Each structure stands twice: as structure tokens, then as C-alpha cells.
């Protein structure tokens, strides 16, 4: 059975996961999501990437593992405790910049910028500020979200928001879209040239 084989994990991941468990952070990305992101960023040499919701750096570790030496990742979170774990384990890599900021404010400041891939893993840029974040995607670039399949940690009322999000993303003619029953459930939009 080939499905689900993802290759070697990034070297930093084990330490990040240990500390993630220690601080009780339960929203870290799954390894299958990370592996898919690693492949996507590897397809874009000298790429500019954005992650909304750093968490403890799990997704960032996978992305950095796929990025070439000329690529750069901006990652944004408003929680100093979780993002300090990411900084501790990944901060020695000059290809990443950590932003301690509200993601909505970051998106507003970034207007006019262009990214090759945005991993939208916080509320702003996913359930709000969609037009703003999709404007940041360069032609040929990718908008990526996960957690679309029911998750045990969802608060009541959250499940109803998913079909609305998917429908909103699917009706945008500037993008091709695909939903995948992979890991927590992912969706990818690619901006047409
Ligand atoms: C699902 S977790 C991110 C997981 C991370 N991407 C990973 O790969 O493990 C969501 C993160 O979004 C952050 N967050 C929530 N609301 C935010 C906001 N308004 N601005 C910035 N970050 C926010 C939380 O602090 C949390 O770390």
C-alpha cells in the first residue's frame, strides 16, 4: 500500500513535537499535511511563502525542509508562547522570518505583496479576509488550507462553516481548486495565469 508514505521527517521535527506536547498545544499540523506542503514549496525554486498561524513550527519545519536556499518563508502568529517554540528550533535558519502579529493586521500590511504559496492556518486568511489573502497569490501560486474534515477539537458550530468556506473558494474563477481527503482534509487553489 503506497498511500500515506511521506518520506523522512525534517530534522527539527522531533524536538518541536516534544515541546509541543510539553506545552499542551493540540493544534499542530499533521505530518501528511507537512509532507504535502514540503513537496509544493520544493516545486517553486526561489519561492516566497507565507504561513498564517505558526503554532509551534510544525508546518514551518516541513516547508523549510522543501525550500531551496533562495526561498523565503514568512510565518505569522499572535501567540508568543507557541511561536517561541518555533523560533527556538527554526530561528537559526535565515530563510524564515517570524512575525508576532495578528494575522489580519499582517494581511492588511502585506497588501500588494506576492507569494508563491500561502498556507492559511489561522482564522484570518481562512474564515475571514479571504479576498485580501487571495490577492497576495501570484499567478501560478497556491492557496492551501487544511482541517476541512471533522476534527475532535472543533468547537460547536464550527462544522457548519466548512461547506461555506469550500463553496466560497470554489466559486472564484481566477483559481482552479481541488479538495483532497488527505490527513485532516485539504484544499488547494492555484491562481490561473
Ligand atoms: C492550527 S494552529 C497552527 C498550526 C501550525 N500551522 C502548524 O503547522 O502546526 C493555529 C494558530 O493560529 C494562531 N492564531 C489564532 N488566531 C490568530 C490571529 N488572529 N492572528 C495570528 N495567529 C492566530 C494560534 O495562536 C495558533 O498557533
Amino acid at each position: 500500500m503506497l498511500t500515506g508514505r511521506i518520506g523522512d521527517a525534517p530534522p527539527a521535527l522531533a524536538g518541536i513535537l516534544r515541546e509541543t506536547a510539553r506545552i499542551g498545544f493540540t493544534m499542530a499540523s499533521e505530518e501528511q499535511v507537512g509532507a504535502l506542503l514540503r513537496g509544493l514549496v520544493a516545486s517553486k525554486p526561489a519561492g516566497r511563502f507565507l504561513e498564517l498561524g505558526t503554532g509551534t513550527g510544525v508546518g514551518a519545519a516541513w516547508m523549510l525542509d522543501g525550500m531551496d536556499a533562495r526561498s523565503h518563508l514568512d510565518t505569522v502568529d499572535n501567540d508568543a508562547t507557541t511561536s517561541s517554540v518555533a523560533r527556538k528550533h527554526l530561528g537559526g535558519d535565515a530563510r524564515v522570518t517570524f512575525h508576532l502579529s495578528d494575522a489580519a493586521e499582517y494581511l492588511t500590511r502585506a497588501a500588494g505583496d506576492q507569494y508563491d504559496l500561502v498556507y492559511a492556518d489561522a482564522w484570518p486568511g481562512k474564515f475571514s479576509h479571504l479576498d485580501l489573502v487571495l490577492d497576495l497569490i501570484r499567478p501560478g501560486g497556491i492557496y492551501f488550507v487544511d482541517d476541512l474534515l471533522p476534527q475532535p477539537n472543533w468547537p460547536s458550530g464550527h462544522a457548519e462553516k466548512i461547506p461555506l468556506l469550500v463553496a466560497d473558494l470554489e466559486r472564484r474563477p481566477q483559481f482552479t481548486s481541488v479538495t483532497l481527503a488527505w490527513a485532516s482534509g485539504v484544499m488547494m487553489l492555484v491562481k490561473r495565469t
Side-chain angles (χ1 to χ4, degrees):
M1 173 101 162
L2 289 175
T3 308
R5 293 177 68 165
I6 57 170
D8 291 341
L13 193 66
I16 291 175
L17 289 176
R18 265 195 304 278
E19 216 155 330
T20 300
R22 189 179 60 74
I23 67 169
F25 182 70
T26 57
M27 294 188 291
S29 299
E30 291 164 272
E31 58 181 9
Q32 291 91 347
V33 169
L36 182 51
L37 283 167
R38 173 169 66 181
L40 292 172
V41 298
S43 76
K44 298 190 175 295
R48 255 198 101 195
F49 307 116
L50 173 63
E51 180 186 40
L52 300 169
T54 309
T56 52
V58 171
W62 284 97
M63 290 170 79
L64 286 164
D65 204 44
M67 286 161 47
D68 73 359
R70 291 175 301 144
S71 293
H72 190 82
L73 170 66
D74 288 302
T75 181
V76 183
D77 206 294
N78 62 359
D79 185 322
T81 304
T82 54
S83 56
S84 71
V85 176
R87 282 172 202 258
K88 176 176 154 191
H89 290 271
L90 303 171
D93 190 326
R95 298 173 303 159
V96 60
T97 304
F98 295 96
H99 303 269
L100 186 60
S101 169
D102 179 73
E105 287 171 17
Y106 183 90
L107 288 171
T108 304
R109 285 196 302 274
D113 280 2
Q114 293 273 272
Y115 284 97
D116 294 289
L117 180 145
V118 176
Y119 174 29
D121 203 18
W123 191 273
K126 186 173 180 184
F127 295 105
S128 69
H129 302 82
L130 262 188
D131 291 338
L132 208 50
V133 71
L134 292 175
D135 276 350
L136 298 181
I137 309 286
R138 173 172 286 153
I142 296 170
Y143 172 82
F144 185 100
V145 285
D146 65 353
D147 292 336
L148 300 180
L149 290 169
Q151 303 297 310
N153 59 355
W154 279 359
S156 91
H158 188 71
E160 290 82 343
K161 297 188 167 54
I162 303 298
L164 299 175
L165 170 65
V166 171
D168 188 349
L169 291 171
E170 281 179 338
R171 73 172 169 76
R172 293 169 185 265
Q174 255 194 306
F175 293 85
T176 67
S177 69
V178 61
T179 52
L180 300 171
W182 173 253
S184 60
V186 307
M187 184 167 186
M188 195 171 80
L189 270 68
V190 182
K191 195 174 250 184
R192 299 175 192 275
T193 53

